[in-house]
Every structure is written in C-alpha cells, then in structure tokens.
C-alpha cells in the first residue's frame, strides 16, 4: 500500500513523504508433484513436450517450412492444434440453398467463410505465442485470422461428410496462408478461405506456393518431401517417407477432446439495419465522388445506375455475369449511346472507410472527359450473425458523338 505522511508542524501545502507498506494476506503451497499424479495433466504435458520437440526437429530439417503444433486458446491454455478440428454446422440458410443446388455445396460454404473479416497476424508464429479462437467465437465476433478461417471451413466440410484437413503453407499473393485440403475420389482440392476459391492440385493458376504442414483432429503431419510445391507433393500422409507425423498411430491420446462446441448458434441479421447501411454507403460514395472531382462537375446517369442495381444481387448468388446482361434491350440501347467503363467491387463489410478506400483506388472518379457521366449502385447481401457481402458497382459513361 502507498502511504502519504506529512509532518505535524508542516502546513498541508508542504511536501510530504510517500512510503510503501506491504500487507501480508496469506499464502498457499501447491505441490507440482500432486499435479503430475493426475494422469490427464501428465499426458497433456507429455503431448505438449512431444509437440515442442517435434517442431524443433522439423525446423532442423527444413527451417523455412511452416509448422504449428500447439497454440494458446482464449483462456491462455496451451493446447494441440488438433483440438480445434471438429465437424460443425454451417448456417441453416446455406444448407437450405444447398437442398436446391447440391453441386454448389462447397462453393457456397467456402464463400460464406471468406466473407468473415480478417484480423491481421501480429505475432510471429515461430515464437510459439499464437492465440486461436474457436469457430463459434469467430462467428460471433465476425473476425478471425487465416488459420481460424481455415479451421472453420474445414469443420464445415467435415459436417458435410467431406474428408478435410487444414494445410499450412505460403502463397505468392498472401505470404503465410492456411488452406483446406479435401480428398475427392481421384483428386485433391485446395480451398482458399480468404477468397472462397477452389483449385485443383495441378492448377497452374493456384497461388499456393508451398505445402508445409497438415493437421486434422487426430494428428499433425510435416512435409519432408524435397519439393513442396503443390503440383509435386504427394498428399498421401500415411507414407512416412513423405510425411513426418507428430503422434504415432497407437498413441492413446491421439484424439483429445475438442474445444469446439457441440454446434454453432447463429443470430438473425437485422434486414432494416442492412438497408440503412446500404443507403448510407451509397450517399457517402456520391458525396466522396464529388469531393474527389473539385475541378469538374459530377453528373449521375440514373438509367445506368438502375440497371446496375438489378445486376448486383444476381452476381452474389452466382447466377449471372455482366456479359450476360448486355443482350438485354435496356442495357443494349445504353451501350449504343455511351462508352461504358466500370466493374463491380465485392468485399466483406468491416467499416465504411474500407469501402470508400476500395472505390477510390479504382481511379474511375478521375475521368477528365468534359461530358463524363457516372453511375453508382450499392448492394449488401446479408448472412446470419451479421456477416455481410458488400457490392459496389461504379461506372463512367462517355457519350458517342
């Protein structure tokens, strides 16, 4: 405790002295040997020690390859990454869609996961201080890092009966990444949770650059193949000459209790609030457009804006493209009069400024053509638990002479 003491003869304005006094409240002795006698705790320590040694040995073989064996949960407890993997239910809304179009099953689920905003990685995973949220927390907070997105997508795929694992590697575009690997009858598919895109193993346009590590609810496998490019990797992780496993097949605690809930509960998204947000974004973007063009008038083409508003909802559900609407008479007449330049922007909703920045970076507002006109449409598709997909279509129009 901090004690202030003044001299009796001194006025209150005089300086006094501060003293620290320690008040002893009590103590407790907790013998560590008693903890070790508990088999569950002892097994956990053994597994974490094994995981630490395993990671160290793997890094000695391939120092530049990624491997994560244990992380901290929300309670600050260190656990194996395998305990994050468990079959979990996607939103009912998505499952209802899938009843009508089973071929789009995984695509719709993957797209939903990609709409959850990303939290930047602030820690170096090699320090061993990663903190991962459960899939339910990612949904409720509407945020997650790359690994948490991959875990959520993997858990959804497991719920749908797919054979899925989380893959750690690096990407040409994103640096360190976490993908989901699914095994089909005669091929392997690589799913990018940040974009929702799926790539076949031998797809030359897949941005995945290296395949370093796999894990599911039972084990962690480290890639010890000389060539770790996706096209060259043998994904049969049962082959010990290709993959080094953390836990042996006969290990008693191979499938530890998952920290995930039995199921995820989703909340309804308020439609009226989403509509208000859409109108706010559109008004703000129009004001910003005029502010970005202080030397030129900003004219709005209502006809084109109306056409764009009809296009955006169909782009969200993947049932149309811009090209398919060029045959429609209304838009065809517009193209006969104007040279139209523009494209849709799609992004998860995080905040208004992110939308403004994305539109500004297109540079469409910078048209210096004297008679230029502009068209703007905004659409927000809402998913459960306040997960929002924002579409902005901005176009500039120049009338033919």
């Amino acid at each position: 405790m901090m004690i202030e003491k003044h001299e009796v003869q001194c006025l209150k304005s005089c300086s006094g002295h501060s003293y620290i006094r320690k008040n002893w409240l009590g103590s407790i002795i907790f013998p560590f040997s008693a903890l070790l006698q508990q088999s569950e705790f002892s097994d956990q320590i053994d597994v974490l020690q094994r995981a630490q040694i395993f990671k160290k040995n793997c890094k000695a073989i391939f120092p530049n390859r990624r491997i994560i064996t244990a992380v901290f949960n929300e309670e600050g407890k260190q656990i194996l990454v395998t305990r994050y993997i468990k079959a979990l239910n996607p939103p009912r809304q998505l499952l209802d869609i899938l009843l009508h179009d089973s071929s789009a099953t995984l695509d719709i689920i993957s797209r939903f996961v990609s709409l959850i905003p990303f939290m930047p990685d602030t820690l170096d995973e090699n320090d061993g201080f990663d903190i991962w949220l459960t899939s339910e927390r990612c949904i409720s907070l509407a945020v997650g890092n790359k690994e948490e997105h991959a875990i959520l997508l993997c858990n959804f795929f497991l719920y749908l009966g797919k054979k899925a694992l989380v893959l750690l590697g690096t990407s040409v575009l994103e640096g360190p990444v976490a993908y989901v690997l699914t095994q089909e009858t005669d091929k392997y598919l690589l799913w990018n949770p940040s974009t929702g895109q799926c790539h076949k193993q031998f797809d030359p346009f897949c941005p995945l650059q290296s395949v370093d590590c796999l894990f599911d609810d039972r084990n962690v496998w480290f890639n010890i193949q000389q060539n770790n490019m996706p096209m060259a990797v043998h994904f049969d992780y049962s082959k010990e000459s290709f993959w080094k496993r953390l836990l042996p097949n006969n290990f008693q605690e191979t499938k530890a209790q998952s920290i995930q809930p039995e199921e995820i509960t989703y909340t309804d998204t308020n439609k009226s609030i989403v509509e208000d947000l859409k109108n706010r974004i559109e008004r703000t973007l129009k004001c910003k457009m005029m502010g970005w063009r202080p030397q030129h008038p900003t004219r709005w083409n209502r006809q084109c804006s109306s056409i764009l508003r009809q296009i955006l909802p169909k782009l969200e559900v993947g049932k149309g493209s811009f090209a398919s609407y060029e045959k429609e008479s209304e838009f065809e007449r517009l193209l006969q009069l104007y040279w139209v330049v523009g494209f849709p922007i799609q992004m998860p909703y995080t905040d208004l400024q992110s939308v403004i920045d994305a539109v500004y970076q297109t540079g469409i507002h910078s048209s210096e053509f004297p008679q230029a006109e502009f068209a703007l449409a905004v659409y927000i598709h809402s998913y459960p638990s306040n997960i929002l997909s924002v579409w902005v279509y901005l176009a500039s129009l120049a009338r033919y002479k």
Side-chain angles (χ1 to χ4, degrees):
M1 295 180 64
M2 183 73 72
I3 306 297
E4 296 285 344
K5 185 174 179 62
H6 293 272
E7 297 297 333
V8 178
Q9 297 85 358
C10 185
L11 298 175
K12 289 186 178 181
S13 59
C14 296
S15 60
H17 297 282
S18 298
Y19 302 93
I20 295 178
R21 187 177 72 184
K22 294 184 178 180
N23 294 348
W24 182 76
L25 300 178
S27 64
I28 182 171
I29 298 175
F30 201 87
F32 193 70
S33 58
L35 277 179
L36 292 179
Q37 290 175 0
Q38 304 297 323
S39 60
E40 181 180 352
F41 191 84
S42 180
D43 288 341
Q44 183 184 348
I45 291 179
D46 289 342
V47 172
L48 291 175
Q49 286 178 341
R50 176 190 286 267
Q52 186 178 8
I53 295 170
F54 177 79
K55 180 177 179 179
K56 183 178 179 181
N57 292 339
C58 291
K59 281 292 187 180
I61 304 172
F62 292 104
N64 295 325
R65 294 189 184 181
R66 299 182 62 216
I67 177 171
I68 303 176
T69 55
V71 295
F72 288 93
N73 64 8
E74 300 168 53
E75 299 172 352
K77 182 180 179 182
Q78 193 175 30
I79 60 175
L80 288 185
V81 295
T82 56
R83 296 181 63 187
Y84 282 84
I85 306 300
K86 178 184 178 180
L88 288 173
N89 56 303
R92 184 76 250 172
Q93 174 185 332
L94 300 186
L95 295 176
D96 291 341
I97 295 174
L98 305 179
L99 293 176
H100 305 289
D101 187 4
S102 58
S103 63
T105 300
L106 303 187
D107 292 325
I108 294 174
I109 298 295
S110 183
R111 173 161 179 75
F112 171 74
V113 173
S114 72
L115 292 172
I116 300 173
F118 277 78
M119 177 172 57
D121 294 321
T122 55
L123 296 174
D124 183 358
E125 65 189 35
N126 292 322
D127 293 338
F129 295 110
D130 277 353
I131 301 174
W132 289 0
L133 304 176
T134 63
S135 295
E136 185 177 44
R137 289 289 284 171
C138 286
I139 293 291
S140 63
L141 296 175
V143 69
N145 62 24
K146 294 176 182 178
E147 291 77 20
E148 290 158 351
H149 277 73
I151 288 169
L152 178 62
L153 182 59
C154 182
N155 292 341
F156 284 165
F157 283 176
L158 291 174
Y159 181 88
L160 298 173
K162 287 293 179 180
K163 189 171 184 179
L165 302 93
V166 174
L167 181 156
L168 301 180
T170 54
S171 165
V172 177
L173 304 176
E174 304 173 73
V177 291
Y179 274 46
V180 174
L181 176 74
T182 58
Q183 183 178 350
E184 306 299 327
T185 306
D186 57 346
K187 60 186 176 182
Y188 291 94
L189 298 180
L190 302 163
W191 298 83
N192 185 349
S194 64
T195 63
Q197 291 181 316
C198 173
H199 300 274
K200 295 179 181 178
Q201 180 185 359
F202 300 104
D203 181 0
F205 296 103
C206 178
L208 189 64
Q209 194 173 22
S210 72
V211 176
D212 300 335
C213 179
L214 299 172
F215 67 87
D216 63 7
D217 61 335
R218 293 183 177 274
N219 220 330
V220 179
W221 294 269
F222 182 72
N223 184 6
I224 55 175
Q225 300 166 62
Q226 287 299 320
N227 192 339
N228 63 343
M229 293 183 63
M231 287 188 181
V233 168
H234 294 277
F235 280 111
D236 186 358
Y237 47 87
S238 65
K239 300 271 177 62
E240 294 186 12
S241 58
F242 296 150
W243 296 89
K244 184 179 177 68
R245 64 164 58 95
L246 167 61
L247 303 174
N249 289 331
N250 60 351
F251 194 76
Q252 295 298 320
E253 296 294 325
T254 295
K255 191 172 182 180
Q257 184 179 4
S258 173
I259 66 165
Q260 302 285 8
E262 287 303 312
E263 64 176 17
I264 298 178
T265 302
Y266 298 89
T267 59
D268 294 330
T269 301
N270 191 312
K271 302 289 186 182
S272 62
I273 292 179
V274 173
E275 181 67 19
D276 291 342
L277 178 61
K278 184 206 76 170
N279 295 332
R280 181 187 172 199
I281 292 175
E282 190 164 314
R283 287 195 305 268
T284 303
L285 289 176
K286 283 187 175 182
C287 291
K288 290 292 182 180
M289 279 283 291
M290 291 184 283
W292 297 334
R293 296 170 48 80
Q295 307 300 324
H296 305 278
T298 303
R299 304 178 184 87
W300 297 102
N301 189 304
R302 295 183 179 181
Q303 182 187 11
C304 186
S305 297
S306 176
I307 295 172
L308 298 182
R309 287 193 188 97
Q310 298 171 24
I311 292 175
L312 292 182
K314 296 178 181 179
L315 289 180
E316 171 65 31
V317 295
K319 294 184 177 178
S321 65
F322 192 85
S324 66
Y325 285 88
E326 291 182 356
K327 297 179 181 178
E328 295 189 7
S329 58
E330 186 179 6
F331 196 66
E332 190 173 324
R333 287 195 298 269
L334 191 70
L335 290 178
Q336 291 174 357
L337 299 174
Y338 293 93
W339 177 35
V340 182
V341 176
F343 50 87
I345 302 170
Q346 189 278 325
M347 58 191 300
Y349 182 75
T350 52
D351 53 52
L352 181 57
Q353 189 59 47
S354 299
V355 179
I356 295 170
D357 293 341
V359 172
Y360 181 82
Q361 289 166 10
T362 66
I364 291 180
H365 64 276
S366 61
S367 173
E368 296 181 355
F369 185 71
Q371 302 301 321
E373 297 179 33
F374 295 91
L376 176 68
V378 177
Y379 171 70
I380 300 179
H381 191 89
S382 61
Y383 291 91
S385 297
N386 299 311
I387 307 299
L388 306 178
S389 174
V390 177
W391 288 86
V392 179
Y393 213 136
L394 180 64
S396 66
L397 301 85
R399 183 180 285 271
Y400 294 122
K401 290 186 178 180

